[in-house]
Every structure is written in C-alpha cells, then in structure tokens.
Amino acid sequence: MRDKVSFSTKWALGLIGLIVFFGGWEAAVRTGLLPSGMVPAPSSLGPAWLDEVRGGFWQQAILDSLHHYLLGLLIGSVLGAGLGILCGMVAVVDGLLEGIVRLLRPVPGLAWVPFAILWFGLNTSGATFVIAISVFWINFYAAHSAVRGVDPELYELAAAFGHGSFLGRLFKVVLPAASPGLMSGLRTGLGQGWMSVVAAELFGVPGIGARMMQASSLLATDVVVVYMLTMALLYAVTDFLFGFVRKRVLRWQP
C-alpha cells in the first residue's frame, strides 16, 4: 500500500529533489565529471537568461511559440475530440475510419514537417499544422475510449425521458458521462503540444524551438538549457491553469 503524504510535504520533497539535482549537476561540472564545454553549469543559466531578456529574444520567442502552440492545441483538440466522440457514438463511422486511423496513427508529428513546408510554407500555419496533428490523436483516442466506456443503460434511460436522438444522447449522456476521459485527453494534449513545438519550428519558424536550434549551432549550450527550462515552465503554467478549468467542469464529481 502506498504511503500518503500531505500537500505541503509533497511540495517540500519536490523542492529538496530539485536542490539535490541542480547541486549535483553544478558539482559534476565544477569537478570536471561533466565537460563544461558540452554541459553548462546551472550557475551559468541566470546570466544567459538575462542576456536573452535584455536582447528581447526570450520574450519574442515565447510570444511566437504561444501563437502557434495555442492555435494548434485548439484545432487538434477540437477536431480530435469531436471525431473521437462521433466514432464512439456511431458504429458505422467508427468502422469506416478504423483502417484510416490504424494507418495514420503511428506516423509521428515530425514526419509531417516536409508536408507542412510544402502545403503552408515557412510560416506559423505550418507549425500550427504539426502541433495540431500531434495533439489530434491523443484527444481522438481519449474521447473514443471515454465514449465507448459509457454505460449502455444510460442511453436507455435517456430515451425513456425523450432524449433518444443523436443530439439528445450527446448532450444528456455522452458529454456528462465521458467528461473525465475527455478532460484527461485535453490535459495530456497540453504536454504533447509543447513537446511538438521544437519539431514544428525545426524548419525556421520563429519561436522557442528555433531559438534553441540557433543556440545549439553556436554551441551556446547554456542558452539551449534556458529555453528547455522555459518550455518546462510554460507547460507547468498551462497545466496549472487547466487544473482550475478541470475542477470547475468536473465539480459534480465526489
């Protein structure tokens, strides 16, 4: 049986873990265990970040990445969840698309980069497309599984009260019953979207990923790590904000 810890204890343990991690990292670089030319010391990250802020690069990279991240997240989540719900509710549609889904699902988002360049060019639309593709499948499968897991007796109950139509079943049964699964898919998509940002910006679209590639070409590893931590921070913020939305949507749960 897993031991339970309080919220404050959990945060304290997490902070101690970070201190040990960065302290060990700093010691390894200073003692030569890790080559300083290849791995930056944590103490060098602050000055590197300040240089990026003073030059305006950090703020602009965040704004650029947020633009196509949020747009790709919205498009991929809406289309993925919508199609997943439709396939979960309508067996004919599910059967028609099953082969296509099995064919396209294993293709990673990075593989779509050449097509993004051909179809949209070197701009935000191409990056948005790559992020949307990556987020789409997570939401599709989460929605599909959530809908297929709805108790069939709920449909019968809804029909008895005059809600046997497609829209009646959708709004009175499916969305309320499948909302926990749908929210889980959306939350996972938040992280997947940030992981796709670098791939989406590999071909020169301005943003955090592009800035990381520029820094790596100059062997400025401290700048690379600064933007890696920036992405981690942005994900933490979006996940934290989504937690409030999730609690509000699922406030009916015990």
Side-chain angles (χ1 to χ4, degrees):
M1 183 177 178
R2 185 176 179 179
D3 295 334
K4 292 184 178 180
V5 295
S6 64
F7 181 78
S8 58
T9 302
K10 185 177 180 180
W11 272 94
L13 291 173
L15 181 61
I16 292 172
L18 285 174
I19 293 173
V20 172
F21 173 73
F22 282 105
W25 178 1
E26 181 77 25
V29 174
R30 288 184 177 274
T31 58
L33 187 62
L34 292 175
S36 59
M38 302 298 292
V39 181
S43 57
S44 69
L45 301 181
W49 174 72
L50 286 176
D51 288 341
E52 290 292 298
V53 171
R54 289 168 182 153
F57 303 114
W58 188 72
Q59 302 93 312
Q60 189 60 49
I62 291 176
L63 290 176
D64 290 335
S65 287
L66 277 175
H67 183 197
H68 43 255
Y69 167 78
L70 293 175
L71 193 56
L73 182 70
L74 176 63
I75 294 173
S77 298
V78 171
L79 293 180
L83 190 59
I85 291 172
L86 181 62
C87 289
M89 292 182 65
V90 184
V92 174
V93 177
D94 193 25
L96 286 172
L97 296 181
E98 183 177 3
I100 299 174
V101 169
R102 291 183 181 276
L103 177 67
L104 296 180
R105 174 63 186 93
V107 180
L110 187 61
W112 290 99
V113 170
F115 291 100
I117 298 173
L118 289 173
W119 295 341
F120 303 100
L122 301 176
N123 52 43
T124 298
S125 298
T128 300
F129 171 76
V130 174
I131 295 171
I133 284 287
S134 301
V135 173
F136 174 89
W137 292 113
I138 291 176
N139 285 278
F140 173 84
Y141 276 108
H144 186 270
S145 299
V147 173
R148 294 296 295 271
V150 174
D151 189 346
E153 292 184 0
L154 294 177
Y155 293 114
E156 298 177 6
L157 184 62
F161 282 91
H163 301 294
S165 65
F166 177 83
L167 291 179
R169 288 183 289 123
L170 175 64
F171 289 106
K172 296 298 182 180
V173 177
V174 172
L175 291 181
S179 55
L182 292 172
M183 298 302 288
S184 296
L186 291 172
R187 188 171 192 175
T188 305
L190 289 175
Q192 182 63 41
W194 280 118
M195 287 188 283
S196 302
V197 164
V198 175
E201 295 173 351
L202 279 176
F203 48 93
V205 177
I208 293 174
R211 190 63 183 160
M212 287 175 63
M213 295 302 296
Q214 294 169 3
S216 65
S217 66
L218 299 173
L219 297 181
T221 54
D222 50 353
V223 177
V224 174
V225 175
V226 164
Y227 283 103
M228 290 171 64
L229 295 177
T230 298
M231 292 185 69
L233 176 63
L234 289 171
Y235 168 66
V237 171
T238 52
D239 186 67
F240 180 75
L241 293 175
F242 183 79
F244 283 104
V245 176
R246 185 179 183 277
K247 282 184 178 180
R248 185 171 183 81
V249 172
L250 302 179
R251 61 183 181 275
W252 52 270
Q253 284 189 316

